[in-house]
Amino acid sequence: MAEADRIQPISLEMIRTLIGMPTVSRDSNLELIAYVQDYLKGFGVESTLVHDETGKKANLYATIGPKDKGGICLSGHTDVVPIDGQDWHTDPFQVVEKDGLLYGRGTSDMKSFIAIALAFVPEFLAKPLKTPIHFAFSYDEEVGCIGVRRLLDILEKQPVKPAACIVGEPTSMKPVVAHKGKKSTRCHVHGLECHSSLAPTGVNAVEFAAEIVTYLRGMAKRKRTEGPFDPGFDPPHTTVHTGLMHGGTALNIVPKDCYFDFEFRHLPEDDPEELLGEVREFVETRLLPEMHAIDPATGVRFEQISQIPGLDMKDDDPLTQLVMALSGANSTGKVAFGTEAGLFQQTGIPTIVCGPGDIAQAHKPNEFIALSQVAKGEAFMRRLLDKVRA
């Protein structure tokens, strides 16, 4: 019998249950949140919900153990990315087990971590805890870590907040001490439309937008060749990327409006406001004078879509040392993707990213997590249990 076939995770049924709830970011997550709240209540654990402004989404926060101590927070997001246009070989919202792998949307990113944490509730309750365990399960992480901000606003005002946080994003159970920050921006270019035969009398919003995109591409090339660099990241430098562009109505009309979305995924040492400031200066000194010479009503406007701070922990931090011991790892890592960890750290809570699964499987069709990774996640939780018991 293969080794994978002998692995019987205690969290397997919980993983199946959570994957079966299609909590795509554009939809509500209340079915999953209600399930978790009822599950915890069945063990006598009360939880607090923090809803969004529509009431259709919610964060969940719960504490196991003493309420007068900081404790360790296990944080994860409940939302998943869409499956639209992806070539899935199985039902993405039903776990399929094959050859030691669990297929399904969210298996890797990151419902398996949440499922493992929940599956261990009975064990956390079996004996008194000297150090409390907190659960922080959020909404809309995939669209800018939106939900957790509301939860952190409340936690920041509490007399006792978590002393440390472990974010269970997929890192193959390797402790991640740093990740890049992300600043996403939408640029609106407003021009002056006219008949294309009289193009010089108009202000072509698409063409001026293209000049800004070209400038951004130049910034990307400069970062790639000049740095700054941190070899712990892959890629080892700040990246600049334009991902979406819309403008114009017809070929024979000089377009009046155009917008495009771009992002900086920056090293912790790079200031995203300075990066955006450089783009603004280019627009103000090079483009606006030319646009205003034709029509002063034209212009360029920048709108923030989202911003996620980077994470920057030290290898000798007590939390880093704890998570290395819990995971059995002998080294730490850095990643290019963003998480809510930077927001926890910004709130004054030391935070590490460490969870089962491989980020290479995230957001792809036929997403999966290896049963061996689930087993490592459960081993991590058992070691944590030993640390927090009285």
Side-chain angles (χ1 to χ4, degrees), residues 47-113:
S47 52
T48 299
L49 303 189
V50 181
H51 289 81
D52 72 345
E53 64 279 359
T54 70
K56 296 179 179 179
K57 298 181 181 183
N59 305 291
L60 181 145
Y61 187 76
T63 299
I64 301 174
K67 303 289 195 297
D68 58 346
K69 296 181 180 179
I72 298 173
C73 180
L74 304 179
S75 177
H77 62 85
T78 62
D79 61 317
V80 297
V81 296
I83 60 168
D84 305 41
Q86 294 188 336
D87 183 20
W88 280 79
H89 299 163
T90 62
D91 183 343
F93 298 113
Q94 180 177 337
V95 171
V96 173
E97 181 179 345
K98 183 179 181 181
D99 298 329
L101 306 177
L102 301 178
Y103 291 88
R105 173 59 87 221
T107 49
S108 182
D109 185 17
M110 57 171 293
K111 288 182 175 179
S112 291
F113 174 80

Side-chain angles (χ1 to χ4, degrees), residues 133-267:
I133 292 294
H134 311 280
F135 293 156
F137 303 148
S138 61
Y139 66 87
D140 283 2
E141 187 273 349
E142 295 289 6
V143 290
C145 291
I146 294 173
V148 74
R149 298 170 196 262
R150 285 177 173 255
L151 177 57
L152 287 173
D153 285 344
I154 292 175
L155 288 183
E156 202 168 13
K157 299 169 186 174
Q158 299 300 309
V160 179
K161 63 183 180 183
C165 178
I166 301 169
V167 176
E169 289 277 3
T171 66
S172 298
M173 295 310 302
K174 181 175 183 176
V176 165
V177 296
H179 67 62
K180 292 182 178 181
K182 177 184 175 183
K183 184 176 181 65
S184 304
T185 304
R186 175 164 292 173
C187 178
H188 299 263
V189 180
H190 181 67
L192 176 66
E193 65 184 354
C194 66
H195 195 284
S196 61
S197 66
L198 302 173
T201 66
V203 176
N204 191 316
V206 169
E207 291 180 356
F208 277 99
E211 290 200 45
I212 304 172
V213 172
T214 300
Y215 186 83
L216 288 165
R217 185 168 183 269
M219 290 179 68
K221 292 172 66 176
R222 189 177 76 237
K223 288 295 181 183
R224 187 167 65 245
T225 57
E226 300 177 11
F229 300 103
D230 184 335
F233 290 99
D234 181 20
H237 51 80
T238 293
T239 59
V240 187
H241 160 73
T242 302
L244 186 69
M245 192 171 195
H246 290 285
T249 54
L251 181 58
N252 60 355
I253 301 174
V254 170
K256 179 178 66 174
D257 291 295
C258 181
Y259 75 85
F260 61 92
D261 297 347
F262 65 97
E263 67 175 24
F264 302 116
R265 288 188 182 261
H266 58 90
L267 298 180

Side-chain angles (χ1 to χ4, degrees), residues 167-385:
V167 176
E169 289 277 3
T171 66
S172 298
M173 295 310 302
K174 181 175 183 176
V176 165
V177 296
H179 67 62
K180 292 182 178 181
K182 177 184 175 183
K183 184 176 181 65
S184 304
T185 304
R186 175 164 292 173
C187 178
H188 299 263
V189 180
H190 181 67
L192 176 66
E193 65 184 354
C194 66
H195 195 284
S196 61
S197 66
L198 302 173
T201 66
V203 176
N204 191 316
V206 169
E207 291 180 356
F208 277 99
E211 290 200 45
I212 304 172
V213 172
T214 300
Y215 186 83
L216 288 165
R217 185 168 183 269
M219 290 179 68
K221 292 172 66 176
R222 189 177 76 237
K223 288 295 181 183
R224 187 167 65 245
T225 57
E226 300 177 11
F229 300 103
D230 184 335
F233 290 99
D234 181 20
H237 51 80
T238 293
T239 59
V240 187
H241 160 73
T242 302
L244 186 69
M245 192 171 195
H246 290 285
T249 54
L251 181 58
N252 60 355
I253 301 174
V254 170
K256 179 178 66 174
D257 291 295
C258 181
Y259 75 85
F260 61 92
D261 297 347
F262 65 97
E263 67 175 24
F264 302 116
R265 288 188 182 261
H266 58 90
L267 298 180
E269 63 193 271
D270 255 340
D271 184 347
E273 297 305 324
E274 289 185 7
L275 297 173
L276 182 59
E278 180 183 335
V279 182
R280 289 181 181 275
E281 182 178 4
F282 167 75
V283 169
E284 291 169 3
T285 59
R286 299 282 297 277
L287 302 187
L288 289 184
E290 184 179 352
M291 296 170 69
H292 289 167
I294 298 175
D295 185 353
T298 59
V300 177
R301 176 171 58 88
F302 294 92
E303 171 193 358
Q304 179 170 296
I305 300 173
S306 66
Q307 184 163 357
I308 305 170
L311 173 69
D312 192 12
M313 290 283 287
K314 305 302 181 186
D315 279 355
D316 59 358
D317 188 277
L319 177 61
T320 305
Q321 295 299 308
L322 171 64
V323 174
M324 289 180 69
L326 297 179
S327 64
N330 55 17
S331 64
T332 62
K334 301 179 180 181
V335 295
F337 62 86
T339 77
E340 69 262 35
L343 291 165
F344 275 93
Q345 187 181 43
Q346 204 172 62
T347 309
I349 302 173
T351 305
I352 291 287
V353 184
C354 186
D358 189 337
I359 194 62
Q361 300 305 321
H363 301 191
K364 295 169 61 174
N366 306 307
E367 176 183 350
F368 67 80
I369 188 170
L371 282 169
S372 58
Q373 280 291 305
V374 177
K376 288 182 178 181
E378 293 188 356
F380 179 98
M381 209 63 68
R382 288 190 183 93
R383 296 187 191 109
L384 175 61
L385 180 61

